[in-house]
Amino acid sequence: MMERMAAIIAGSMLVGVGINFFLIPYHLLDGGMIGIGLIFHYYIGLPTGLGVILSSIPLYIYAWYFEKKLFLNSLHGLLFSSLCIDIFSGAVTGWHLPIYVSAIIGGGLIGLGIGLMLRYGTSTGGTDMLAQILSRKSGLNVGLLIFFIDGCVLLCGLSVVGTSIFLYSFLTIIAVAMLTSVTVMRTIRC
């Protein structure tokens, strides 16, 4: 239980840092519910973490009825990661990285955070939870499923961020998918 809680806290902090220090300064997108939260943030000014929670409600309703254990395990990840996203939202960095470097580092941190939580049976909720459900039913790699869902969300944000940022955001979801997959696979081997 203590390891799971530590993984949720550490993973949530990695997600919050990845989003606020690396994605938001360039208006980059991620996929999934985080991406939807970022779209709401860029478009109407809604805090990103709150957008993630609101976007996740339909999947949590489904999980409540059909995947109770996943619901309970993911609820903590959703709340902690959303809180970390909004807590770190006021952080200002003194560095100015090229946008492609920021996209890769931000995506890597988010993927590491999500993968860490998935290792301990929890997630940030939303499409991570959806990917876990689909992975259980299909046997497909959860990181690949997250990548596919993220790509769909990214396409939805194209009109909000424009073509150039969309292409850099694609680097972000590649980094998220790779780090999530590697982190989850390392658990299986351990």
Side-chain angles (χ1 to χ4, degrees):
M1 183 64 162
M2 292 300 290
E3 285 182 10
R4 175 178 278 168
M5 201 60 190
I8 291 171
I9 292 169
S12 296
M13 291 179 73
L14 287 166
V15 169
V17 168
I19 289 169
N20 288 294
F21 289 32
F22 297 97
L23 301 189
I24 289 179
Y26 293 103
H27 287 154
L28 292 164
L29 289 174
D30 185 14
M33 293 304 167
I34 293 172
I36 293 170
L38 286 167
I39 291 169
F40 285 145
H41 175 73
Y42 299 147
Y43 193 68
I44 62 173
L46 186 69
T48 307
L50 179 59
V52 171
I53 290 173
L54 295 175
S55 302
S56 296
I57 289 173
L59 286 170
Y60 273 87
I61 291 171
Y62 170 84
W64 174 259
Y65 289 106
F66 300 107
E67 300 276 346
K68 282 259 202 264
K69 184 177 180 184
L70 190 58
F71 170 87
L72 295 172
N73 289 339
S74 296
L75 185 61
H76 296 101
L78 170 69
L79 296 176
F80 274 100
S81 62
S82 296
L83 179 65
C84 284
I85 291 168
D86 286 347
I87 285 175
F88 290 128
S89 68
V92 178
T93 62
W95 61 73
H96 300 284
L97 300 171
I99 190 170
Y100 67 91
V101 172
S102 195
I104 293 168
I105 293 173
L109 290 172
I110 294 166
L112 185 61
I114 290 169
L116 183 60
M117 286 189 270
L118 288 173
R119 281 172 103 166
Y120 288 90
T122 190
S123 72
T124 58
T127 54
D128 300 338
M129 184 169 56
L130 177 61
Q132 282 183 291
I133 292 167
L134 293 173
S135 178
R136 286 182 188 161
K137 295 183 185 285
S138 68
L140 294 172
N141 179 283
V142 71
L144 292 176
L145 289 167
I146 290 171
F147 178 70
F148 176 76
I149 295 166
D150 287 354
C152 293
V153 171
L154 202 58
L155 282 172
C156 292
L158 177 61
S159 64
V160 175
V161 297
T163 306
S164 176
I165 299 299
F166 168 81
L167 293 173
Y168 287 116
S169 296
F170 200 76
L171 287 174
T172 300
I173 67 167
I174 290 170
V176 169
M178 288 176 61
L179 264 290
T180 301
S181 292
V182 167
T183 305
V184 170
M185 284 190 308
R186 301 236 343 133
T187 301
I188 294 168
R189 294 180 186 160
C190 293

